[in-house]
Amino acid sequence: MTASTVPVDLSVQLGRLSLPNPVLVASGTFGYAREMENIIDCTRLGGILPKTITAQPRIGNAPWRTVEVTGGLLNAIGLDNDGVDVFIDHHLPYLATIGSPIIVSVAGRTADDFVELAERVSHCVGVAAIELNLSCPNVSGGVDFGTDAKSCSKLVAAARARSAVPILAKLTPNVTSIVDVAKGAADGGADAVCLINTVLAMAIDWRKRRPMLGNAMGGMSGPAIKPIALRCVHQVRTAVNIPIIGIGGIASIDDAMQFIVAGATAFQIGTANYYDPLASMRILDALPDAIRELGAHSVREVVGTLDATKTTH
Ligand SMILES: Cc1cc2nc3c(=O)[nH]c(=O)nc-3n(C[C@H](O)[C@H](O)[C@H](O)COP(=O)(O)O)c2cc1C
């Protein structure tokens, strides 16, 4: 067996959640997977996160809802979704046939909303885990639980107690200390934290003297936020003992490896799905060689191996 054919173990463990590989697709950027089935082999993904669902249908924000900016995209969709009943009756049966772990993203206005939704969805066939979206910047009250460590902790604990599957907490970078909120999530019993959701941002048409997004402000995603996400992963990894799923600007194997070395056990690909829908498959194909290049034979061995006491020069 030559060095390049030594098998690499891509499987990863996030608390109680086992995934076949660390390559996931992020909520809100992959629809409900049907849209992608003719483009990529969804069965190969380490996990699929459908668009966040809420208890009741939501029509979302007024247009424009997306604006391209240098280095990425602004969005203010406003959690447009058909509500949990349609999700369970119409989307989940298809998602469950794919064979890739389905991690359902949920959001609520109150803690009870979150917990009831998490409980209900967690008992459905085909759901591998719940991601609590504690971090949407585009709805009123959308980040309350993601900006305060105590409320985050209480909500995660309540969701964990009532959910039949592992609980992930997706956090916002729009806080003074993401470490404090991640500690809250860990104290509440989250199986992992997902870092990060979008960065609060704005685009302006100066001639009209108006904001370009219907919601005035929105969330920045894409390549420009990768350094912010890496910083968050590094900070949380060094201060909190909880598995991390890295998110933010990942579009290549180099991006993905930076997150793994920084401390992410798995990662989600978001905006890249829009402009390069094959990115997830390319990254998955390139992963074994990248792991071998570091002299390792599993993803696990490489997670969080960053030596921050030295620089590259
Ligand atoms: C158009 C759009 C819609 C999104 N909708 C959601 C959503 O419903 N729930 C959620 O948790 N994150 C949502 N996100 C955030 C992404 O899941 C991801 O956290 C963020 O875009 C950063 O990753 P990226 O730079 O790879 O896109 C959305 C992002 C975009 C661009």
Side-chain angles (χ1 to χ4, degrees), residues 26-29 50-52 66 73 75 77 79 105 131 133 135-136 170 196-198 219-223 225 247-250 268-272 274:
S27 182
T29 67
K51 172 79 185 166
T52 298
T66 56
L73 179 72
N75 91 80
I77 308 289
L79 294 185
S105 170
E131 184 182 76
N133 178 359
S135 44
C136 182
K170 183 167 179 181
I196 56 177
N197 209 317
T198 53
M220 172 99 186
S221 61
I225 72 162
I247 323 165
I250 300 175
Q268 296 178 13
I269 298 163
T271 301
Y274 288 114

Side-chain angles (χ1 to χ4, degrees), residues 169-259:
K170 183 167 179 181
L171 304 186
T172 174
N174 306 315
V175 288
T176 308
S177 169
I178 197 161
V179 167
D180 288 350
V181 187
K183 273 187 185 142
D187 290 346
D191 289 273
V193 282
C194 307
L195 315 173
I196 56 177
N197 209 317
T198 53
V199 180
L200 192 60
M202 197 170 182
I204 288 173
D205 181 334
W206 67 266
R207 290 191 173 84
K208 291 185 183 150
R209 305 182 210 215
R210 288 190 180 167
M212 294 178 79
L213 287 170
N215 191 48
M217 288 181 277
M220 172 99 186
S221 61
I225 72 162
K226 189 185 76 175
I228 300 171
L230 281 173
R231 181 268 296 172
C232 292
V233 169
H234 170 63
Q235 282 184 311
V236 170
R237 166 76 188 188
T238 44
V240 191
N241 187 19
I242 188 168
I244 298 167
I245 299 181
I247 323 165
I250 300 175
S252 70
I253 185 64
D254 289 330
D255 298 334
M257 289 304 291
Q258 288 165 18
F259 275 87

Side-chain angles (χ1 to χ4, degrees), residues 28-295:
T29 67
F30 206 74
Y32 295 101
R34 270 201 188 90
E35 300 84 335
M36 303 299 280
E37 70 179 351
N38 294 323
I39 304 174
I40 65 164
D41 181 359
C42 295
T43 64
R44 297 182 62 210
L45 290 167
I48 296 174
L49 289 101
K51 172 79 185 166
T52 298
I53 55 161
T54 51
Q56 301 303 323
R58 287 179 57 96
I59 56 167
N61 292 324
W64 290 352
R65 292 170 166 205
T66 56
V67 177
E68 276 187 55
V69 294
T70 309
L73 179 72
L74 300 191
N75 91 80
I77 308 289
L79 294 185
D80 180 342
N81 78 100
D82 295 333
V84 64
D85 292 335
V86 173
F87 177 77
I88 289 174
D89 293 345
H90 181 66
H91 299 301
L92 190 53
Y94 168 74
L95 286 161
T97 63
I98 295 175
S100 167
I102 304 301
I103 301 172
V104 181
S105 170
V106 302
R109 282 189 192 283
T110 65
D112 286 347
D113 282 352
F114 265 103
V115 173
E116 277 159 28
L117 201 50
E119 179 177 24
R120 181 166 172 208
V121 174
S122 78
H123 286 95
C124 296
V125 174
V127 175
I130 301 287
E131 184 182 76
L132 302 174
N133 178 359
L134 308 176
S135 44
C136 182
N138 301 320
V139 293
S140 153
V143 291
D144 294 349
F145 300 101
T147 53
D148 177 67
K150 270 201 189 118
S151 340
C152 176
S153 179
K154 266 176 82 173
L155 174 54
V156 169
R160 181 174 171 131
R162 301 249 300 266
S163 165
V165 296
I167 294 285
L168 316 177
K170 183 167 179 181
L171 304 186
T172 174
N174 306 315
V175 288
T176 308
S177 169
I178 197 161
V179 167
D180 288 350
V181 187
K183 273 187 185 142
D187 290 346
D191 289 273
V193 282
C194 307
L195 315 173
I196 56 177
N197 209 317
T198 53
V199 180
L200 192 60
M202 197 170 182
I204 288 173
D205 181 334
W206 67 266
R207 290 191 173 84
K208 291 185 183 150
R209 305 182 210 215
R210 288 190 180 167
M212 294 178 79
L213 287 170
N215 191 48
M217 288 181 277
M220 172 99 186
S221 61
I225 72 162
K226 189 185 76 175
I228 300 171
L230 281 173
R231 181 268 296 172
C232 292
V233 169
H234 170 63
Q235 282 184 311
V236 170
R237 166 76 188 188
T238 44
V240 191
N241 187 19
I242 188 168
I244 298 167
I245 299 181
I247 323 165
I250 300 175
S252 70
I253 185 64
D254 289 330
D255 298 334
M257 289 304 291
Q258 288 165 18
F259 275 87
I260 292 174
V261 168
T265 300
F267 51 89
Q268 296 178 13
I269 298 163
T271 301
N273 292 312
Y274 288 114
Y275 64 87
D276 181 11
L278 300 180
S280 55
M281 295 292 106
R282 239 188 6 257
I283 293 173
L284 184 53
D285 289 338
L287 202 50
D289 277 348
I291 298 292
R292 281 189 206 103
E293 201 178 322
L294 295 180

